[in-house]
Amino acid sequence: YQTDAATCRVNLAKPGAVLLIGDSITAGWFAASTEQYAAAGRPVCINGQGGRTTAGAVTVLAGYKTAGMITPTTTVVMAIGSNDTYGAKDGYMRWQVDNVERVVGISQPLVWVDVLNWTSNRGVAAQHIYGLGTWTVNLQLCGKDTQYPNLTVAHWNAMIRNTYTKYLYDLLHTNAYGNTARNDLIMRTVGPIV
């Protein structure tokens, strides 16, 4: 699920543009999110794919960079990391953030949406592993936003963890209300169009 290349090129050239790269959470609400950003007057290019890992998202990001679509005023939004929570290793997410910074440069506005993955589709023992991985991924992200001045973490986990049934239809993916709230969080974190 992705915005076509011609629309991306036009939108990303506008002030306040957002390039949003995500996984199934983004892909599942592609049409609704596209409408929400448009209604907010926010130029957007969305690229979401189910099962996408952070490493895969870095490759996609590099493609946009190579194509010359990321302008100095584009905010890159990485809504990624949920598929890296199962057995997440210390250092992996820090390394991926470094990879993104190498692709876009440390002056490029960058927002990273942290994760909440408590999925139970592999049983209770695996759910515990996803929970620990969620903690590991988010801790590494928060450490990186103190290192890179262009990076801001959008704290999705903190926003929903105490009332997650209001936002999620399972223990990972957003319902319609949650998708709207997540996009609102992203746009607030990106900041106003200037």
Side-chain angles (χ1 to χ4, degrees):
Y1 295 86
Q2 63 188 49
T3 309
D4 67 89
T7 302
C8 281
R9 193 170 292 280
V10 169
N11 283 354
L12 294 177
K14 296 176 181 176
V18 169
L19 171 59
L20 172 58
I21 299 176
D23 49 30
S24 59
I25 301 169
T26 299
W29 294 100
F30 173 78
S33 294
T34 300
E35 291 175 13
Q36 184 179 351
Y37 282 86
R42 177 71 69 175
V44 69
C45 172
I46 300 174
N47 189 309
Q49 179 182 328
R52 179 178 280 157
T53 63
T54 304
V58 174
T59 301
V60 170
L61 176 64
Y64 285 101
K65 181 70 173 180
T66 300
M69 292 184 171
I70 303 174
T71 69
T73 60
T74 301
T75 298
V76 173
V77 176
M78 301 298 285
I80 199 78
S82 295
N83 291 311
D84 299 300
T85 55
Y86 189 83
K89 302 289 187 247
D90 186 40
Y92 173 80
M93 196 54 105
R94 285 193 295 269
W95 178 55
Q96 294 301 340
V97 173
D98 291 341
N99 287 338
V100 167
E101 293 284 1
R102 277 190 283 275
V103 170
V104 298
I106 60 171
S107 61
Q108 190 74 48
L110 175 62
V111 169
W112 206 301
V113 184
D114 72 5
V115 299
L116 189 151
N117 187 352
W118 294 339
T119 191
S120 59
N121 64 358
R122 294 186 188 177
V124 174
Q127 186 177 27
H128 180 69
I129 294 170
Y130 280 116
L132 288 175
T134 292
W135 173 259
T136 300
V137 166
N138 290 344
L139 193 61
Q140 291 178 61
L141 286 175
C142 286
K144 280 299 185 180
D145 80 349
T146 60
Q147 178 182 350
Y148 291 112
N150 65 317
L151 172 62
T152 305
V153 175
H155 295 284
W156 174 241
N157 184 295
M159 180 177 155
I160 70 166
R161 71 175 165 242
N162 293 326
T163 55
Y164 64 89
T165 55
K166 180 176 165 183
Y167 299 93
L168 307 177
Y169 72 80
D170 57 10
L171 297 170
L172 169 62
H173 298 94
T174 55
N175 55 29
Y177 178 82
N179 180 65
T180 299
R182 190 170 185 250
N183 286 328
D184 284 342
L185 171 65
I186 290 168
M187 285 189 270
R188 283 196 309 273
T189 307
V190 169
I193 298 172
V194 290

